[in-house]
Amino acid sequence: MNAPHSFPTPAPSSYKEAPTRSVSVRGVHFVYRQLGPEGDGVPLVLLHHLAAVLDNWDPRVVDGLAARRRVITFDNRGVGASGGSTPDTIEAMADDAVLFIRALGFEQVDLLGLSMGGFIAQVIAAQEPQLVRKVILAGTGPAGGPGIDKVTALTLQAALKGFLTRKDPKQFLFFTDTEHGRREARAFLERLKERTEDRDKGISPISFRAQLKAIRRWGLQPPADLSRIGRPVLVANGESDRMVPSENTLDLAARLPRGELVPLYPDAGHGGIFQYHDEFVAQTLEFLES
């Protein structure tokens, strides 16, 4: 396996060209990609949504952020091409993410967590405050947030609808069923196909079930004590999120001691940061650099 410092030169100019690397975490290999300037600045680690692998990050978001920040995407334990078995609790996923970050030698990072990745980011920020500088939470909610325990049912319904209509379920889960939403969904799904070589493995059914179990547990937990998260947090979402209802976004921004709300993106759902990628990238960079 490659050592974490062995990056090719010159650096890749876009996410679709970023090589897939691996690092050993207690004997288990974790795959990741890195893009952007490699200075002394704090890196931005991206934590992904349910069933996602490296190739599910919108390249417009990654490229936009990497224009000014070092960005690292990775597959957590048991996901995609990473080894090991996927945990069935958010807390265990957070522990693995911390081990991965430390295996790369970082003493402090910024976190961007999307959906399930936002659950993981919250746990890391609460339990490892010295490791985290700033956090961006997108399309996510606190433990015990309304509607989060319904993600399994929504996901399975969308999967069936996708099978019957021969469409990607993300079109139904991430975007609104309006002319604008459908157009943005098609554009997003096309962007995910831009990388044609060295693509990641898809998530396995076993890992997918473990993630669904972890999300349901998160949704059924008692309300989270968000006062434990003392770092600055930027909160973003679409105004019509079906998977993690948008009221959770407003709740996070109101209850986090240093929470800052991005006005909810209009006519957008769970994938609002992909639909409004230009705006989101600009808002995130401003937040990280302030």
Side-chain angles (χ1 to χ4, degrees):
M1 275 174 257
N2 297 301
H5 61 274
S6 58
F7 300 112
T9 53
S13 59
S14 66
Y15 189 56
K16 69 180 181 180
E17 299 169 349
T20 304
R21 301 288 169 175
S22 67
V23 63
S24 179
V25 179
R26 294 186 176 177
V28 176
H29 74 277
F30 280 48
V31 297
Y32 68 99
R33 294 175 188 156
Q34 173 168 286
L35 190 66
E38 290 184 38
D40 296 328
V42 177
L44 175 63
V45 178
L46 276 52
L47 303 162
H48 223 331
H49 63 76
L50 168 69
V53 297
L54 295 173
D55 296 319
N56 291 116
W57 280 111
D58 190 330
R60 297 300 177 275
V61 169
V62 180
D63 289 352
L65 295 171
R68 299 199 328 235
R69 299 298 303 268
R70 178 173 13 175
V71 177
I72 295 167
T73 64
F74 78 105
D75 287 340
N76 214 332
R77 186 180 301 269
V79 176
S82 285
S85 300
T86 300
D88 59 7
T89 69
I90 297 299
E91 291 75 15
M93 294 177 187
D95 290 342
D96 285 337
V98 169
L99 290 173
F100 164 76
I101 291 168
R102 289 183 169 149
L104 292 184
F106 299 129
E107 296 182 357
Q108 191 174 54
V109 297
D110 294 327
L111 298 175
L112 164 55
L114 171 61
S115 191
M116 184 184 73
F119 307 158
I120 297 169
Q122 291 173 62
V123 174
I124 296 173
Q127 296 184 351
E128 302 284 346
Q130 299 307 312
L131 182 64
V132 179
R133 188 186 70 110
K134 292 187 176 183
V135 183
I136 303 98
L137 299 176
T140 193
I148 295 176
D149 61 323
K150 306 297 192 297
V151 167
T152 296
L154 284 171
T155 301
L156 295 179
Q157 290 169 9
L160 177 59
K161 185 175 180 179
F163 175 76
L164 294 175
T165 61
R166 297 183 180 180
K167 294 180 179 178
D168 192 309
K170 288 190 285 294
Q171 177 169 332
F172 312 118
L173 292 170
F174 281 31
F175 298 86
T176 55
D177 189 21
T178 65
E179 182 179 354
H180 178 244
R182 291 189 293 272
R183 183 173 65 250
E184 292 295 328
R186 291 191 295 270
F188 166 69
L189 293 171
E190 284 301 311
R191 294 196 297 271
L192 295 188
K193 300 175 184 177
E194 290 177 356
R195 186 183 182 99
T196 57
E197 298 181 2
D198 186 30
R199 290 185 64 86
D200 198 3
K201 295 180 180 179
I203 194 166
S204 71
I206 293 175
S207 292
F208 182 56
R209 287 195 295 270
Q211 289 184 346
L212 286 173
K213 189 173 183 179
I215 292 172
R216 179 171 171 77
R217 284 177 166 173
W218 181 262
L220 293 174
Q221 287 182 30
D225 179 10
L226 298 179
S227 68
R228 297 176 59 201
I229 300 176
R231 299 303 189 188
V233 182
L234 185 70
V235 187
N237 201 0
E239 65 180 6
S240 302
D241 189 340
R242 295 178 60 239
M243 293 196 73
V244 182
S246 303
E247 62 188 286
N248 288 287
T249 302
L250 302 177
D251 185 38
L252 280 172
R255 291 169 53 204
L256 286 163
R258 301 176 68 183
E260 177 184 339
L261 177 67
V262 173
L264 298 181
Y265 300 122
D267 194 11
H270 197 59
I273 67 168
F274 300 148
Q275 183 169 332
Y276 287 86
H277 51 82
D278 288 338
E279 292 88 340
F280 174 71
V281 166
Q283 291 156 342
T284 298
L285 290 173
E286 181 180 3
F287 168 74
L288 291 175
E289 295 170 358
S290 63

